[in-house]
Amino acid sequence: MIGGDDPGAQFDHHLTAVGPERIWVAEQDSVVVGLTGLIVDGTSAEVEPVVVTDGERGRGIGRALVKRVIEEAGALGIGLLSVRPVGRNTAALRFFRDSGFNVLGHIEALMDLSEEREWIDGETIAGREFKV
Ligand SMILES: CC(C)(COP(=O)(O)OP(=O)(O)OC[C@H]1O[C@@H](n2cnc3c(N)ncnc32)[C@H](O)[C@@H]1OP(=O)(O)O)[C@@H](O)C(=O)NCCC(=O)NCCS
């Protein structure tokens, strides 16, 4: 669903906003198998996106992309680096925690008034249970 009906146009918009020099890809046999980027805001930056081709996951590509983007952030003098995976993406949460993101910044808590979405039991934070 990311990018809506026209993900190419959405990506072009993102590329213009972020700058092509802040986007890195992983290549295997001249084929792009991973993508990451750095959205800089003063001395802070968000790592977004980090995505590896489905069939190529679990082989160290994501780890290599994040390592590179951390190095680039350091070279730019970034002091605070963030990632914002959705709460139910436990694989990404584990991946980022193991990659060095060990501080919880803001938590976004939702109240679903529409009751149109399905939530599952998920995380315990501050001694309270949250669905994700
Ligand atoms: C999260 C993601 C980028 C990780 O990339 P990857 O190339 O599979 O990660 P790596 O192979 O470098 O794995 C790094 C570690 O994370 C673990 N890991 C990666 N994907 C995992 C998964 N789906 N489930 C459980 N563990 C996982 C690996 O076991 C590995 O641990 P290790 O270094 O101790 O062996 C990839 O799964 C992905 O593209 N997911 C979909 C997009 C997404 O959710 N992005 C983050 C949203 S902000």
Side-chain angles (χ1 to χ4, degrees), residues 14-29:
H14 179 75
L15 197 60
T16 306
V18 171
E21 73 281 11
R22 303 271 159 80
I23 290 183
W24 297 269
V25 297
E27 279 184 0
Q28 191 171 273
D29 300 328

Side-chain angles (χ1 to χ4, degrees), residues 50-52 57-63 85 89 91-92 95-96:
V50 185
V51 61
V52 172
R57 291 176 191 167
R59 297 183 188 176
I61 296 169
R63 185 78 84 220
N89 195 345
F95 169 78
F96 286 126

Side-chain angles (χ1 to χ4, degrees), residues 93 101-107 125:
L93 281 169
F101 291 84
N102 61 354
V103 179
L104 274 186
H106 290 91
I107 305 282
I125 297 176

Side-chain angles (χ1 to χ4, degrees), residues 92-114:
L93 281 169
R94 290 193 187 114
F95 169 78
F96 286 126
R97 176 62 186 82
D98 293 348
S99 298
F101 291 84
N102 61 354
V103 179
L104 274 186
H106 290 91
I107 305 282
E108 181 189 36
L110 307 176
M111 184 183 292
D112 186 358
L113 300 178
S114 75

Side-chain angles (χ1 to χ4, degrees), residues 2 33 35 46-54 56-66 83-86 89-96 98-99:
I2 294 173
V33 291
L35 170 75
E46 180 185 348
V47 180
E48 165 67 18
V50 185
V51 61
V52 172
T53 301
D54 208 354
E56 304 294 340
R57 291 176 191 167
R59 297 183 188 176
I61 296 169
R63 185 78 84 220
L65 283 167
V66 167
V83 289
R84 295 193 302 151
V86 295
N89 195 345
T90 43
L93 281 169
R94 290 193 187 114
F95 169 78
F96 286 126
D98 293 348
S99 298

